[in-house]
Amino acid sequence: MYLTLDGVEKKFQSNTNNEVKVLDDISFEVEKGQFVSIVGPSGCGKSTLLYLVSGLEKASKGKIEISGEQVTKPGPDRVVVFQEDGLFPWLNVLDNVTYGLLLKKMPKKEAEAKATEMLKLVHLSNYADSYPHQLSGGMKHRVAIARALVMDPDILLMDEPFAALDEQTRMALHNELLEIWRKTKVTVLFVTHNIREAVLLSQKIIVMATRPGKIKATYHVQTTQDGYTPDSVTLDLEQKILATLEEEMEKVLKEELGDDYNFKKSDIHRDTNGDMGSGI
Amino acid sequence: MVIWEVASRLSTVPTFMFPGVLQVLETLFNGIINGQITGAIFQSIGRLLVGFTIAVIVGLILGYLIWRYKLVDDTLGFLVVALQSIPSIVWLPLAIVWFGLGETAILFVVTIGATWTMTMNTTSGFKNVPTLYQRVARTYGSSGFHLLRTVIIPASIPQIISGLRLAWAFSWRALMAGELLGAGGGLGHLLETGRSLGQMDLVISVMIIIAIIGTIMDNVVFTRLEKNVQKKWGLS
Ligand SMILES: Nc1ncnc2c1ncn2[C@@H]1O[C@H](COP(=O)(O)OP(=O)(O)OP(=O)(O)O)[C@@H](O)[C@H]1O
Ligand SMILES: [Mg+2]
């Protein structure tokens, strides 16, 4: 097995010095070159899970191994496309995209040629000299995606990379991503809120439960991925996942309404917005 | 200006104490031509640049150390906050005892006034670098000095520029006070000369120059720099 998570647990120190368990007993395996999606309610620890695999955060318990080697620190073989674009505002688009390449000691000429090529792929070749503040939100996200893809990573960790994009661009990028995935055999861990996106792109879908984040179900997608044509199989799967998630959402809502109900009874002077949605 | 001129003509105060606009402008003009005021300007600016530069360099280094090492933060960091609240001219008596009443004493006051502000702004700039930028850099393999050079410092530029602006204002004020009290020429000293000779037209001329230089630096140089940087860094 290529990427293995075994009994991974993550706790965070909360401000009251208590420990909050965000992820509990996460175990799954990913084959080399597999495209795996992770879906789950907001706040269930999807981003945290990606950070653990990337090495940016350390697991409190359990093991994360890549080709048998334990992950201890971040490395350019595992690149993250963050939920927010995270472009450096002091660098122009081209310099943002070459940042990682130059760190790999690639000659500047070669890095720039590669970056330009990648920018063409995300339809931003005319903006190489622009600065991030001159781009729209969706454009910034595409630069961030280009910056990650240009690295030719072994594992691509994507945190809702297409959430900020319009439908057309999203579909175009789905295709590009699948193309690149097929060409480079990169292993993809793809977090999304969009069930259809998960079903259309991936071979395996992990559905997470929340508080603490756990694996609720795993689905395998049978059809060949082409990124845009739903058929009866995928539609059926979509429904199944939706049903699983709805259970989970109900749980979240119940908990939250419970909170709401309690505080209304105990303290009517509190700001009505007080705790609502704190876990969303 | 008209009111000033009229008030000066009509008032019973003798003209050397309350000169009119025209007279002040004449003195100002002559002072610039014959080099009296121009020389003082260059002397003051020169001193300011030296003091300011030292303050900025020391401030950046101290700021870095406070950010980097918890121990330094707990000790020096606390001290800097206290030191920063001391008006810089208060250091003059000490400076005079240590260095004598001269160039070094004034330079010392100019430098010390700006150093602490610069230190504090650098520290807070470094501390407020968004985690996201650091995470991005680390996933691409950056760490240590490379991370400092390519992410921590550039990301703190807006704060560092605010620091520069404040440091400049502090050292400018300290310089004037220092020159006024100390010996060794400069605009502050020219003020003192004007006072002792009873030439209020000279005093007012120098005040005008001081105001002009202050405004140019603050509004033209720093405010503009700050605005551009904030826009580019997406802060406004
Ligand atoms: N550094 C941290 N310190 C303390 N708690 C944290 C930290 N990072 C995340 N958390 C908590 O962990 C939980 C999971 O966060 P995470 O960002 O992984 O959720 P998510 O599934 O990515 O949510 P979303 O879909 O909204 O992006 C949240 O309740 C959050 O408050
Ligand atoms: Mg997230």
Side-chain angles (χ1 to χ4, degrees):
Chain A
M1 218 20 88
Y2 182 55
L3 166 66
T4 321
L5 281 83
D6 185 16
V8 170
E9 182 180 307
K10 179 66 187 173
K11 287 177 179 160
F12 279 116
Q13 207 77 22
S14 76
N15 29 7
T16 47
N17 242 2
N18 292 332
E19 284 192 325
V20 183
K21 201 189 274 182
V22 174
L23 291 174
D24 183 27
D25 192 21
I26 304 278
S27 305
F28 64 87
E29 293 180 330
V30 178
E31 288 166 38
K32 191 161 175 61
Q34 209 174 19
F35 197 127
V36 179
S37 286
I38 301 169
V39 295
S42 183
C44 71
K46 304 182 294 294
S47 299
T48 308
L49 186 59
L50 284 197
Y51 293 161
L52 287 173
V53 176
S54 77
L56 284 168
E57 298 273 1
K58 285 205 164 46
S60 314
K61 222 195 251 173
K63 265 196 310 214
I64 302 176
E65 286 179 348
I66 295 168
S67 316
E69 264 186 59
Q70 187 127 5
V71 171
T72 51
K73 60 178 197 324
D77 56 321
R78 284 157 281 134
V79 168
V80 187
V81 177
F82 290 85
Q83 204 163 355
E84 305 89 14
D85 61 79
L87 298 182
F88 299 140
W90 53 90
L91 296 181
N92 68 21
V93 166
L94 189 68
D95 290 341
N96 262 292
V97 179
T98 54
Y99 184 83
L101 293 177
L102 296 179
L103 257 164
K104 282 208 289 195
K105 302 269 187 299
M106 185 182 281
K108 197 164 167 129
K109 272 255 164 57
E110 196 186 334
E112 279 177 359
K114 251 189 119 179
T116 310
E117 195 63 29
M118 197 48 82
L119 283 174
K120 216 177 270 166
L121 208 64
V122 294
H123 310 293
L124 285 174
S125 25
N126 290 336
Y127 292 89
D129 298 327
S130 306
Y131 282 87
H133 78 271
Q134 296 165 319
L135 306 180
S136 74
M139 289 156 95
K140 280 189 247 187
H141 249 96
R142 280 184 275 156
V143 178
I145 292 167
R147 173 174 68 177
L149 289 177
V150 82
M151 294 293 287
D152 271 330
D154 297 336
I155 301 183
L156 188 56
L157 303 160
M158 304 183 93
D159 198 350
E160 300 181 35
F162 303 141
L165 302 178
D166 63 275
E167 198 61 32
Q168 267 97 347
T169 317
R170 190 199 321 243
M171 287 216 233
L173 284 175
H174 281 168
N175 287 327
E176 297 302 350
L177 179 61
L178 286 176
E179 196 124 305
I180 288 167
W181 170 63
R182 284 199 195 100
K183 245 192 338 220
T184 60
K185 304 269 180 335
V186 59
T187 309
V188 184
L189 225 54
F190 188 93
V191 168
T192 176
H193 274 295
N194 188 328
I195 300 169
R196 177 159 295 173
E197 189 173 68
V199 172
L200 292 179
L201 293 175
S202 40
Q203 297 170 309
K204 184 158 123 180
I205 298 169
I206 295 173
V207 182
M208 284 181 69
T210 188
R211 291 186 196 171
K214 271 186 186 164
I215 295 183
K216 192 171 169 82
T218 307
Y219 296 93
H220 291 270
V221 188
Q222 301 302 342
T223 46
T224 49
Q225 293 75 31
D226 64 2
Y228 47 86
T229 39
D231 58 21
S232 60
V233 184
T234 62
L235 283 175
D236 186 47
L237 186 58
E238 237 179 275
Q239 290 308 319
K240 264 202 242 162
I241 295 174
L242 199 60
T244 321
L245 265 179
E246 255 162 18
E247 256 174 60
E248 206 48 43
M249 290 312 291
E250 219 164 276
K251 191 175 107 191
V252 174
L253 274 179
K254 243 187 213 145
E255 266 179 43
E256 242 131 60
L257 284 180
D259 279 0
D260 197 17
Y261 180 68
N262 279 342
F263 92 69
K264 258 188 199 152
K265 243 182 19 183
S266 62
D267 187 0
I268 40 171
H269 292 301
R270 233 159 82 187
D271 179 2
T272 20
N273 283 329
D275 263 341
M276 280 172 67
S278 62
I280 295 179
Chain B
M1 287 241 242
V2 175
I3 297 174
W4 172 11
E5 183 68 30
V6 172
S8 153
R9 299 246 165 132
L10 296 182
S11 80
T12 50
V13 185
T15 38
F16 74 87
M17 286 174 70
F18 187 11
V21 179
L22 296 177
Q23 198 193 338
V24 168
L25 288 181
E26 197 187 328
T27 314
L28 185 58
F29 188 70
N30 286 337
I32 290 173
I33 296 291
N34 70 22
Q36 189 189 21
I37 293 183
T38 330
I41 292 177
F42 280 119
Q43 206 169 5
S44 290
I45 299 269
R47 252 180 216 146
L48 186 60
L49 284 180
V50 174
F52 177 71
T53 310
I54 299 175
V56 168
I57 293 170
V58 174
L60 284 172
I61 293 172
L62 290 181
Y64 166 76
L65 292 176
I66 293 176
W67 167 74
R68 183 71 181 71
Y69 301 102
K70 182 92 179 54
L71 185 71
V72 183
D73 190 7
D74 290 340
T75 51
L76 188 65
F78 179 74
L79 191 66
V80 166
V81 177
L83 287 172
Q84 193 254 347
S85 66
I86 302 176
S88 16
I89 196 62
V90 171
W91 289 93
L92 191 62
L94 257 187
I96 291 174
V97 172
W98 286 345
F99 308 110
L101 188 62
E103 193 67 31
T104 325
I106 297 178
L107 258 185
F108 177 78
V109 173
V110 170
T111 309
I112 205 106
T115 304
W116 312 128
T117 333
M118 197 58 213
T119 306
M120 282 177 59
N121 269 277
T122 307
T123 309
S124 93
F126 284 7
K127 278 185 179 165
N128 288 323
V129 175
T131 336
L132 180 62
Y133 294 158
Q134 303 184 44
R135 280 184 167 156
V136 169
R138 284 170 54 213
T139 55
Y140 288 106
S142 175
S143 62
F145 183 69
H146 186 273
L147 185 70
L148 180 74
R149 184 172 63 80
T150 62
V151 175
I152 305 291
I153 292 177
S156 338
I157 290 292
Q159 275 264 314
I160 289 177
I161 287 181
S162 309
L164 289 179
R165 183 185 181 175
L166 274 174
W168 178 273
F170 273 105
S171 42
W172 179 241
R173 283 161 182 68
L175 176 72
M176 288 306 124
E179 285 182 347
L180 200 62
L181 295 173
L187 284 169
H189 192 248
L190 201 55
L191 273 180
E192 177 59 17
T193 314
R195 185 200 61 80
S196 58
L197 295 179
Q199 285 186 338
M200 285 310 116
D201 49 341
L202 181 60
V203 170
I204 296 177
S205 300
V206 174
M207 285 170 64
I208 291 174
I209 293 287
I210 291 174
I212 290 175
I213 295 177
T215 314
I216 289 178
M217 282 315 290
D218 207 60
N219 287 357
V220 181
V221 180
F222 286 114
T223 310
R224 206 173 281 180
L225 203 61
E226 225 168 14
K227 263 207 193 111
N228 286 345
V229 161
Q230 285 192 339
K231 185 164 165 232
K232 189 160 155 190
W233 264 241
L235 296 173
S236 60

